[in-house]
Amino acid sequence: MRFTRTSSRLATIGLAVALVLTGCAQSERDEGGGDGGGTFVFAGSAEPVTFDPFFASDGETFRPARQIFEGLVGTKPGTADPAPLLAKDWEVSSDGLSYTFDLQDGVTFHDGSEFNADAVCFNFDRWYNMPESAQTDDLTYYYAALFRGFATGDRADAAIYDSCTADDDLTATVKLKKPFAGFISALSLPAFSMQSPTALEKYQDDAATNPRNTDYSQSHPTGTGPFEFESFERGKQVTLARYDDYWGEKAHIDKAVIVAIEDPKARADALRNGEIDGFDLVGPADVGPLEDEGFTIVNRDAFNVLYLGMNQAVKPLDDIKVRQAIAYALNKEEVISASMAPETRPAIEFIPEIVNGYTEDVPTYDYDPEKAKQLLQEAGADGATIEFNYPTGVSRPYMPQPEDTFNVIRTQLEAVGLKIKPTADQWDPDYLEKIQGTKNHGIHLLGWTGDYNDTDNFLGVFFGAKTSEWGFDNPEIFKDLDKARALPTPEEQEPLYEDINREVMEYLPGVPLGHPVPSLAFDSSVQGFQQSPVQDEPWNVITLEQ
């Protein structure tokens, strides 16, 4: 996941939040103690885009969504692997086209309506029948990428969803038109959470000009999770309250408050000042000092990749020799030491080591500035001007300090004779819209945090079809990825994905840089937090100790 499109006012939210929290969050936290409730105050780097997770694909929106909503499938604690959630079990047909889910009994949505097989099918059919006005990459990114298409529109012929049937009250069968080995894992995404049909029919309009900004999406999100939505005060905080009729382990805390503080150092200062209980995306330079001061540092497993993308729709990036020259010009160790945590591993391909199909037998481009200069001369691109796009006003798990990363890479590219045209854009809303929605960009910093443990969630997302970000059309890679995706088991997929990794790194659409280790920080009073490499971190298990 990587998208975050929130108000540009976030540049000032850190200060505003600090002032607000000084007066209220401290007193709210003091209500806790032992297992006696209290309010847990957590800082992310941006506000949520919406509270309907189907229309989202960013971690800051998914953070409250994971507390409000649940899917049929979750993840095993501390891993990216699938585990039962609202579906306590499932069976898959031998052809990989039919999935029968055995549902949890006694589950209710926050509006009191029953969760059952009819609700499951309502959600699947809602996604499939999404109006064409909502069939855009920024609104329905995950569904289009994983289910390939909708009932109508340009992608209808490619859609892999067939139908959903309520066999009885607690049994639902979903049928696909084509096998998708990652289907179960994909259902752990918050985008595919089960939402109340009653609330959706009453408050949501999927055909609205902006379905992210409807009465439902902003004020009435209704799921089955351990917390229910209480309020969203834009520019201030999101407030969630414990759902006392939750079917699983009821939350120990009374409320959870989420605030947005854009700057990592400001988040660290808010923790030191007692204004928050914890925060995400600790700046690499703050990890050691916070730990020395007695705060708890929790490292997520690195399930991500930061890369330098190269848009082949613009010259001279369409020339493989120029792309190779850029790769040889980069000293990844220097890039990592300047802007990432010390535990960060250099990347040699576009997936982390724990993902199926990872292989060290790929073409590599070790730091060799002389070879870079030679290749540029052979391509007639010595002294060429390259636009270098990078974001400001953001820190992401795969990109904690983008401006520092940019500065190191710019220096390395200029050292081999390239002229760099820096182009900085505010992350929200300009940067991603430019990189992924237009061809008006050059080389660019971007990355990805995996959503679940399936290779298609990395390679398929990046290179499964022609996109504006990469600007190339390689039917061979597209075909190979489609073939691997349709195989029924990971074991059958593995050799194909190894071949695809080699193929991608030979074609070199970009340069994978590293797999940064994201860190969180907490006050010592916070107990029970369980890290997840995919940020699937429900807060019902957290307690606040005196």
Side-chain angles (χ1 to χ4, degrees):
M1 67 192 74
R2 57 187 169 213
F3 298 86
T4 303
R5 295 182 174 89
T6 53
S7 169
S8 59
R9 293 180 301 108
L10 282 177
T12 60
I13 279 178
L15 177 60
V17 166
L19 293 173
V20 170
L21 292 179
T22 300
C24 70
Q26 180 68 50
S27 61
E28 288 176 330
R29 280 211 321 283
D30 288 346
E31 297 170 8
D35 201 21
T39 297
F40 173 62
V41 183
F42 188 88
S45 64
E47 287 187 316
V49 175
T50 181
F51 292 95
D52 182 341
F54 182 70
F55 294 118
S57 52
D58 69 282
E60 297 299 350
T61 294
F62 284 166
R63 196 187 309 280
R66 291 187 189 278
Q67 317 310 321
I68 299 169
F69 299 100
E70 297 170 310
L72 295 179
V73 179
T75 59
K76 295 177 184 176
T79 78
D81 299 327
L85 193 54
L86 289 178
K88 59 185 179 182
D89 197 7
W90 51 80
E91 292 183 2
V92 186
S93 62
S94 58
D95 61 6
L97 296 177
S98 181
Y99 294 76
T100 299
F101 295 95
D102 183 14
L103 307 179
Q104 300 281 359
D105 194 6
V107 179
T108 59
F109 291 102
H110 299 153
D111 58 6
S113 60
E114 182 183 0
F115 168 75
N116 53 27
D118 286 333
V120 171
C121 290
F122 179 96
N123 278 272
F124 272 91
D125 289 339
R126 177 205 177 201
W127 308 333
Y128 180 57
N129 290 287
M130 194 58 49
E132 291 184 33
S133 59
Q135 295 177 24
T136 61
D137 285 346
D138 61 328
L139 287 175
T140 50
Y141 176 80
Y142 275 123
Y143 190 84
L146 299 177
F147 288 84
R148 299 303 197 195
F150 301 85
T152 61
D154 296 340
R155 307 178 188 181
D157 291 343
I160 68 167
Y161 174 75
D162 182 76
S163 63
C164 179
T165 304
D167 304 327
D168 58 46
D169 202 39
L170 294 175
T171 310
T173 297
V174 177
K175 292 184 177 180
L176 304 179
K177 296 175 182 176
K178 292 177 62 177
F180 174 25
F183 177 65
I184 290 296
S185 293
L187 292 183
S188 66
L189 279 167
F192 305 134
S193 298
M194 294 291 107
Q195 304 191 45
S196 164
T198 302
L200 284 167
E201 288 181 330
K202 183 175 182 180
Y203 298 110
Q204 177 63 332
D205 179 7
D206 290 334
T209 302
N210 183 2
R212 287 175 169 168
N213 197 32
T214 62
D215 199 13
Y216 177 85
S217 300
Q218 295 295 316
S219 303
H220 296 283
T222 309
T224 64
F227 294 90
E228 57 184 327
F229 178 88
E230 182 172 294
S231 65
F232 175 36
E233 300 167 82
R234 186 170 292 280
K236 183 180 176 184
Q237 65 186 42
V238 178
T239 303
L240 310 177
R242 178 177 56 221
Y243 180 51
D244 289 329
D245 291 329
Y246 181 56
W247 64 277
E249 181 180 349
K250 292 178 177 57
H252 303 283
I253 55 176
D254 299 315
K255 293 188 179 184
V257 170
I258 303 170
V259 299
I261 305 178
E262 180 183 290
D263 179 61
K265 191 159 290 293
R267 293 197 292 273
D269 288 341
L271 182 64
R272 289 184 172 103
N273 295 336
E275 297 157 4
I276 60 175
D277 295 299
F279 72 94
D280 204 351
L281 304 180
V282 183
D286 290 320
V287 172
L290 284 171
E291 203 160 26
D292 292 342
E293 293 167 41
F295 296 101
T296 303
I297 300 295
V298 177
N299 289 329
R300 290 196 183 100
D301 295 335
F303 193 62
N304 56 35
V305 63
L306 169 66
Y307 58 79
L308 181 72
M310 296 188 273
N311 176 19
Q312 295 181 40
V314 300
K315 293 185 178 299
L317 298 175
D318 59 335
D319 189 328
I320 181 61
K321 289 187 176 181
V322 173
R323 301 199 300 277
Q324 290 172 342
I326 290 172
Y328 282 118
L330 300 185
N331 183 336
K332 295 179 184 178
E333 296 284 358
E334 188 177 47
V335 173
I336 289 169
S337 66
S339 60
M340 300 173 218
E343 299 87 352
T344 298
R345 293 188 56 178
I348 62 170
E349 57 203 271
F350 284 88
I351 62 174
E353 191 171 351
I354 64 173
V355 173
N356 185 35
Y358 180 91
T359 174
E360 295 189 356
D361 181 24
V362 295
T364 56
Y365 305 85
D366 297 331
Y367 178 55
D368 190 339
E370 294 306 314
K371 189 165 188 175
K373 293 176 184 177
Q374 178 187 339
L375 286 164
L376 289 173
Q377 289 175 349
E378 292 175 5
D382 186 26
T385 298
I386 305 286
E387 182 179 22
F388 191 164
N389 300 86
Y390 68 98
T392 60
V394 69
S395 58
R396 306 302 299 140
Y398 53 79
M399 187 170 56
Q401 297 173 191
E403 292 173 80
D404 292 341
T405 304
F406 159 77
N407 283 323
V408 175
I409 293 176
R410 175 180 62 177
T411 300
Q412 294 174 355
L413 295 179
E414 289 176 340
V416 300
L418 289 171
K419 296 176 182 177
I420 298 302
K421 176 187 174 185
T423 303
D425 285 297
Q426 188 74 14
W427 176 261
D428 165 42
D430 301 324
Y431 187 71
L432 285 170
E433 289 183 1
K434 175 184 285 187
I435 300 302
Q436 296 179 324
T438 77
K439 296 180 180 179
N440 302 321
H441 56 92
I443 58 174
H444 55 276
L445 289 176
L446 206 51
W448 185 256
T449 296
D451 302 296
Y452 53 90
N453 200 351
D454 183 73
T455 322
D456 184 68
N457 187 240
F458 284 87
L459 296 181
V461 168
F462 299 150
F463 312 121
K466 186 176 180 179
T467 66
S468 296
E469 177 182 352
W470 304 97
F472 72 80
D473 188 2
N474 189 321
E476 196 66 29
I477 290 179
F478 302 159
K479 182 184 70 175
D480 290 346
L481 282 166
D482 197 50
K483 180 180 178 182
R485 186 180 195 266
L487 292 176
T489 68
E491 291 75 20
E492 293 172 87
Q493 291 177 318
E494 185 174 10
L496 273 73
Y497 279 129
E498 289 178 351
D499 288 341
I500 292 168
N501 273 309
R502 286 186 280 266
E503 186 179 2
V504 167
M505 290 310 299
E506 183 175 352
Y507 187 65
L508 202 63
V511 184
L513 298 171
H515 305 292
V517 175
S519 298
L520 305 97
F522 296 94
D523 185 83
S524 59
S525 63
V526 179
Q527 302 292 317
F529 180 87
Q530 173 67 64
Q531 73 84 22
S532 163
V534 293
Q535 302 178 42
D536 186 9
E537 296 157 347
W539 293 344
N540 55 316
V541 296
I542 289 176
T543 60
L544 299 176
E545 307 289 341
Q546 288 287 2

